Amino acid sequence: MAESAGQVRSVPQGSAVALTEVYDTALLDLDGVVYAGPHAIEHAVESLERARAAGMRLAYVTNNASRPPRVVAQHLSELGVPAEPADVINSAQAAARLVSEKVPAGSRVLVVGGAGLVEALQERGLVPVRSLAEDPVAVAQGYDPSVGWTDLAEASYAVGRGLPWVASNTDLSIPTARGIAPGNGTLVAAVSAATGVMPEVAGKPLPPMHRETVLRTGAKRPLVVGDRLDTDIEGAFNGGVDSLLVFTGVTTPELLLAAPVQHRPTYLSDDLRGLLEPQPVVAALGGGRFGCGGWEAGVDGGALTLDGTGERIDALRALCAAAWTWADANGAAPEAAKALAALPAVR
């Protein structure tokens, strides 16, 4: 069921039954999966309600360190997805655990971020401060829309003096209600550019976040659900667990078809309704061609081809099988422009 870390996946996997029957816990990303800004993503609320009713535990695992779990849980409940603070695991918690392993209890830590990071540090018995003048012994940095030049400068001064530096995550972008905006990775890059130092990173796709998630949820058969290849899907790959990619956030078909092995999801779905459905098998047709749901995909002269009719997501499943298989055999992804142009429009 769960794949081993480092396993090469060349074809999306099928499931004869709904994923709620295969996995005990859904480890759900939030931004771009459950909501975008203050609003729920279409089909998210009803899909999660049905998944819970089917017996699947829902845990919300996010690289966004700006808000404490209680605030996120309240937001989810207001959207119609009942949640408790214990259901929310964020990169601030993983970062705080890393910091706590480096410094004695009661140590002062310079915070560049919001309330989520402050409360996570306090949970670990550490004292958040905002100025180098308060004699911190480490730096913790996480996303918050209030972070400005003064905060980044203060972090740079501290890192420049040799204080250990932990970043909650390095996502370059974050989905919002208005579109894609700069994420914590852009703010971390500013400090790194000023100091020539790279932080230790806690969040997805790195092991500290997976460890934090397992410790807090106790999941035995988890399924990672996300919209990002470089955090959610790679994090699942690194943790040796299966994943479901949804197309409600930042990943495009172009990115998916060119994905290296660590960015290839186990399953694909348009949105969270995929939790409630069997996953079709992608059939190998011979000669490097693959079929799924009325579509047939292959590679001809180094270029992907797509023929047939049916659901857009089935076409993507077939295309992924053809593209990944070709890339594994040839060391490079095939040209995809013509096949992508043949995809039906998003409905």
Side-chain angles (χ1 to χ4, degrees), residues 94-104 109 121 126 138-140 164-166:
R97 190 183 295 271
L98 273 184
V99 175
S100 72
E101 294 169 348
K102 298 177 181 297
V103 302
V109 179
L121 290 166
L126 302 170
V139 180
W165 175 29
V166 174

Side-chain angles (χ1 to χ4, degrees), residues 29-37 41 175-176 226-228 246-250:
D29 185 47
L30 287 171
D31 295 296
V33 175
V34 180
Y35 54 61
I41 285 172
T176 74
D227 70 307
R228 300 184 68 105
V246 294
F247 287 91
T248 49
V250 301

Side-chain angles (χ1 to χ4, degrees), residues 49-311:
E49 180 180 358
R50 290 177 58 194
R52 184 187 292 107
M56 175 176 266
R57 179 181 176 184
L58 306 180
Y60 303 96
V61 185
T62 176
N63 263 0
N64 190 332
S66 63
R67 299 186 296 171
R70 57 180 172 77
V71 176
V72 175
Q74 181 180 353
H75 180 196
L76 287 166
S77 297
E78 290 170 350
L79 292 175
V81 182
E84 299 295 329
D87 297 328
V88 180
I89 303 95
N90 64 26
S91 61
Q93 295 167 322
R97 190 183 295 271
L98 273 184
V99 175
S100 72
E101 294 169 348
K102 298 177 181 297
V103 302
S107 295
R108 297 183 179 190
V109 179
L110 179 66
V111 175
V112 181
L117 190 53
V118 167
E119 293 193 14
L121 290 166
Q122 291 171 333
E123 181 187 27
R124 291 284 151 210
L126 302 170
V127 180
V129 299
R130 293 290 185 175
S131 169
L132 188 57
E134 296 177 86
D135 297 322
V137 297
V139 180
Q141 182 171 357
Y143 173 78
D144 191 80
S146 68
V147 172
W149 183 90
T150 301
D151 305 294
L152 298 176
E154 202 69 16
S156 298
Y157 304 146
V159 171
R161 292 192 185 184
L163 271 63
W165 175 29
V166 174
S168 64
N169 68 294
T170 51
D171 296 10
L172 292 175
S173 62
I174 183 170
T176 74
R178 297 178 60 190
I180 304 299
N184 194 52
T186 61
L187 305 177
V188 168
V191 177
S192 183
T195 61
V197 177
M198 294 296 293
E200 185 171 358
V201 182
K204 298 180 284 187
L206 297 171
M209 188 66 175
H210 183 72
R211 176 179 62 153
E212 193 72 21
T213 300
V214 171
L215 286 172
R216 289 179 181 264
T217 65
K220 303 300 183 185
R221 293 177 288 117
L223 177 70
V224 170
V225 184
D227 70 307
R228 300 184 68 105
L229 301 180
D230 59 348
T231 55
D232 306 313
I233 305 308
E234 185 175 343
F237 178 88
N238 290 339
V241 299
D242 289 345
S243 60
L244 170 67
L245 178 75
V246 294
F247 287 91
T248 49
V250 301
T251 295
T252 62
E254 292 90 336
L255 289 172
L256 181 62
L257 295 179
V261 293
Q262 70 271 21
H263 290 177
R264 297 174 185 174
T266 313
Y267 309 105
L268 310 178
S269 179
D270 287 320
D271 49 55
L272 285 178
R273 289 177 294 179
L275 286 172
L276 312 168
E277 303 166 347
Q279 298 288 310
V281 173
V282 179
L285 305 177
R289 300 191 65 78
F290 296 86
C292 186
W295 295 95
E296 186 174 319
V299 179
D300 185 6
L304 275 172
T305 62
L306 178 66
D307 299 294
T309 59
E311 297 293 328

